[in-house]
Amino acid sequence: MEMILEPWPWYVAGPLIALVMFLLIFMGKKFGMSSNLETMCTVCGAGKVSGYFKVDWKASRWNLLVILGAAIGGFVGAHLLSNGKAVNISEETVSNLQELGFMSAGEAYLPERLFSLEALSSIESVVILLVGGLLIGFGARYAAGCTSGHAISGLSNLQLPSLIAVIGFFIGGLVMVHLLFPIIF
């Protein structure tokens, strides 16, 4: 039981992800979380407003079960299968984050400065979350997929556009952390 309460090591999680990807490839399916937004918009009738959403959503309903399973699994993992400890990160990282104002670094999975109910009362936090969400949504559609779709599904299918997208994700992450993050915070 103790192994379930701890973060799983790469040699357990990696082969499980590979097994799921093998099964999806075998069944002719592609995995990605951002495509669920397209499917949900189509189900809600967005095809009446935009031709982009005039697709057969029933062919993608299996992927809606993935998002439901992720939500249920996240809840079960956080509330029933957690020992309450935060992920171990180095003391240097904790002090760097605390210098930037993230006082919960090393104690919580998400920075409370951005992801708490009190953060929604701050205009700065709301603007950062809205702009970040719009940029991520636009980028996922512009790149024809999100990080999970390209990095897990696309690379396992040896797709060159996915490799280019993943390299772009890493470059964007480095630019954000080293250039933009200090300016914003």
Side-chain angles (χ1 to χ4, degrees), residues 28-107:
K29 306 284 186 191
K30 293 180 182 175
F31 172 77
M33 296 305 273
S34 65
S35 58
N36 284 308
L37 180 59
E38 177 183 308
T39 303
M40 287 188 284
C41 289
T42 302
V43 169
C44 292
K48 297 173 187 170
V49 178
S50 173
Y52 176 80
F53 294 106
K54 290 184 180 177
V55 295
D56 179 22
W57 67 269
K58 291 181 181 178
S60 298
R61 65 181 164 202
W62 70 271
N63 211 7
L64 291 175
L65 292 175
V66 171
I67 207 166
L68 178 65
I72 293 170
F75 179 83
V76 168
H79 296 286
L80 303 177
L81 298 176
S82 176
N83 60 12
K85 297 181 205 169
V87 175
N88 292 331
I89 57 176
S90 73
E91 290 298 321
E92 181 182 354
T93 302
V94 169
S95 70
N96 288 341
L97 288 170
Q98 288 177 344
E99 285 176 21
L100 291 169
F102 296 104
M103 302 321 254
S104 63
E107 299 171 7

Side-chain angles (χ1 to χ4, degrees), residues 16-37:
L16 288 174
I17 292 171
L19 175 65
V20 169
M21 288 313 307
F22 173 76
L23 292 172
L24 287 173
I25 291 169
F26 182 73
M27 294 186 300
K29 306 284 186 191
K30 293 180 182 175
F31 172 77
M33 296 305 273
S34 65
S35 58
N36 284 308
L37 180 59

Side-chain angles (χ1 to χ4, degrees), residues 99-119:
E99 285 176 21
L100 291 169
F102 296 104
M103 302 321 254
S104 63
E107 299 171 7
Y109 281 101
L110 297 172
E112 292 176 5
R113 181 174 172 187
L114 288 176
F115 297 100
S116 68
L117 291 178
E118 292 81 28

